[in-house]
Each structure stands twice: as structure tokens, then as C-alpha cells.
Amino acid sequence: MNIIPAIDLSDGGCVRLRQGDFSAVTRYDRSPLELAATYARLGSQYLHLVDLDGAKDGEPGNIEVVMEIIQTTDLRVQIGGGIRSTAMMERWLNAGAARCVIGSLLVKQSSLVREWCAQFGADRIVAALDVRQRDDQYWLAISGWQETSERELFSVLDEIHDWGIRDVLCTDISRDGMMTGPNTRLYQSMVAAYPDLRLQASGGVSSADDLTQLRAANIPYAIVGKALLSGAITHEEMQAFQVNA
């Protein structure tokens, strides 16, 4: 398994939201560039950046800090937040991002995302599937988690798998930012159905024990944000879970 550290960006700084709520924000003194450099020194190969200003406003924000991270580290950066047009995709990929993270458009404009798979390559896209449980099934949440769609998780996985997408970030919204542990059972069901999925488990990772649980379940990647910022997962523990992948 490999940890993918997460940094949420707003106004050029590092923040964390509670369950995606912009009114429940925690700001950190560490600069995003400093954090990225630290994670690189600890053996990270990947970095997950979320442009919260882009997600809120529909236009790319935090461009300078993202560019600085890409240019000054060897991290493979995946960037998400408000990517809603071909021009925005091209802008981030041309800037050196390894992949773009696409969420709501998978439901709202699926044909456009399918075109991007053909144009840019499906391996340049991470499908962000944010889910809420209802009636023993998981349904995709969209529009900054303000809406629950009528698309069920596994039906969407069937569709995007046909497009060639293998990098999938799945967040159980009920656990995001809550430090309550990941939904390992959900992730196990996903990799059992799609063995070639490069799944990124997101939401709730709060300790090295959680990481051990995910690794035992053969989950290839874990997104870790708040637990690293708070020290709940130490740098030594983080290094122990990094592998060449």
C-alpha cells in the first residue's frame, strides 16, 4: 500500500474542511510548499491537491502554489477542485500535473469525461466518487456534496471502467474529516468487483491501525490529510507504509 498525502488549498494556504463544509474550516500555519517538500522527503511519490477556491468559484485558484510544488518537488501531483472544462484540464496537465481529479462531471456531463479519456488518456484522470449510504447501497454525491444523485456507485464504476479509467478515489462522506476510521468493507467490495482498480481510499483514516487494516484488505492507496497534519499518524509511521508503487 502507498499513502497519498492530501493538501487542501484556499487563498494559497493549507486548510481542512469538515465533511466538505466551507463554514467548518481549519487553517494551518504550515505552508503547502513546506508540507509537500516534507512529504517528498518522507518517501511519498504522490500528492493529492484540492483547489477549494476552484471548487467553490468554478475558476482555477491557487495556481502559483500548485506550480511551485510541481516545479520544486518530484511528487506526482493529482489536482482536483472545479475542473469543469477542457481548457481547465489542459491548463493543469500542461502545468505538469500527473492527473486531474474529476468528480461531479462523471454524473453531470459523462460524455465530456469520456471524450477526455480519449483525448488525454484515461490514465490522466482520477475518478472521484463521493458516496452516501442509503438503503444498503452507495449513491454518488455531487455539487460539493450538496446533492445526492440517482447514480449508484457500482453502476458508475461499470461505466467508467469501460472508458479505461482505473484510478478511482472513493470517499465515504460520513467519515470525511471525522477521524473515525475508513469504510474498509466498502473498499473491499470495490476491489473484489474490479481487481485492476487502482483504488484510493479516502475518508476517516486516523491512525496507523487504520492503514494496517487497509493494507490487509489489499487496498493499494490511502488518501491521508488531517491525520498527518494533526500528528495522529507520525512521520515514522507514514514512512513505514510507503512502498515503490
Side-chain angles (χ1 to χ4, degrees), residues 38-192:
T38 297
Y39 295 148
R41 286 196 301 271
L42 292 171
S44 291
Q45 300 174 61
Y46 307 92
L47 183 66
H48 179 71
L49 294 179
V50 182
D51 175 14
L52 291 175
D53 299 322
K56 182 171 61 175
D57 302 330
E59 293 293 334
N62 303 284
I63 294 172
E64 290 184 3
V65 67
V66 174
M67 289 289 294
E68 195 169 11
I69 289 171
I70 289 171
Q71 292 170 0
T72 61
T73 74
D74 292 327
L75 294 165
R76 297 182 63 194
V77 170
Q78 60 184 42
I79 178 75
I83 300 174
R84 299 168 191 169
S85 69
T86 302
M88 291 174 70
M89 276 282 294
E90 289 179 329
R91 183 169 190 173
W92 285 126
L93 294 177
N94 290 339
R99 297 177 293 212
C100 288
V101 181
I102 307 300
S104 296
L105 286 190
L106 292 165
V107 172
K108 292 184 170 182
Q109 297 185 52
S110 60
S111 61
L112 178 60
V113 181
R114 188 169 64 248
E115 290 174 9
W116 290 348
C117 289
Q119 181 177 352
F120 301 109
D123 61 341
R124 306 301 299 277
I125 293 173
V126 178
L129 306 180
D130 305 326
V131 297
R132 287 192 177 96
Q133 188 173 9
R134 187 181 71 204
D135 300 329
D136 297 323
Q137 290 181 300
Y138 290 91
W139 303 85
L140 261 64
I142 58 175
S143 302
W145 299 354
Q146 299 305 303
E147 305 173 36
T148 300
S149 75
E150 294 304 313
R151 294 299 307 276
E152 190 271 332
L153 171 62
F154 284 90
S155 70
V156 174
L157 280 173
D158 285 340
E159 187 173 14
I160 65 175
H161 193 269
D162 286 343
W163 302 345
I165 293 177
R166 297 293 181 269
D167 297 287
V168 173
L169 189 163
C170 185
T171 302
D172 179 344
I173 291 172
S174 68
R175 298 178 186 240
D176 182 71
M178 302 302 291
M179 304 284 282
T180 54
N183 191 338
T184 304
R185 181 178 296 181
L186 167 63
Y187 302 134
Q188 282 180 305
S189 67
M190 293 173 69
V191 296

Side-chain angles (χ1 to χ4, degrees), residues 8-47:
D8 291 354
L9 303 169
S10 180
D11 295 326
C14 176
V15 304
R16 287 294 292 171
L17 302 184
R18 183 176 179 272
Q19 293 188 314
D21 185 353
F22 280 90
S23 66
V25 60
T26 301
R27 296 191 176 275
Y28 294 88
D29 293 334
R30 301 281 300 278
S31 77
L33 180 61
E34 178 189 354
L35 280 172
T38 297
Y39 295 148
R41 286 196 301 271
L42 292 171
S44 291
Q45 300 174 61
Y46 307 92
L47 183 66

